[in-house]
Amino acid sequence: MSGLTVVVLAVSEDGFQVVLSLAEIDPEFGHCAALPATRYNREVLSRPTLVMPGDLRASRYVRGPAGR
């Protein structure tokens, strides 16, 4: 249970930041997926994108996550 207090900060190449908690993506709690996407409608994306399919507004999509 203590691992559910862990958060992940995803930062895009342009500095956009999104925080995800392990609790929200854990199947027994929030059950919200966080997926790395490299294609959209079978077309290759110019940069990978972290997507949250359960988010209706796509406000937490991180385009081109910066490696750290």
Side-chain angles (χ1 to χ4, degrees):
M1 281 277 203
S2 65
L4 297 177
T5 61
V6 173
V7 296
V8 175
L9 175 64
V11 181
S12 71
E13 295 169 333
D14 64 1
F16 181 73
Q17 298 181 2
V18 170
V19 174
L20 307 170
S21 70
L22 290 185
E24 73 179 307
I25 61 175
D26 186 294
E28 294 182 11
F29 288 89
H31 197 64
C32 177
L35 307 169
T38 57
R39 294 176 179 267
Y40 180 75
N41 288 339
R42 297 190 179 119
E43 298 292 324
V44 176
L45 296 172
S46 61
R47 356 174 227 188
T49 302
L50 177 68
V51 297
M52 306 287 293
D55 284 0
L56 300 177
R57 293 183 31 196
S59 59
R60 295 194 298 171
Y61 286 22
V62 179
R63 289 159 187 88
R68 297 207 184 212

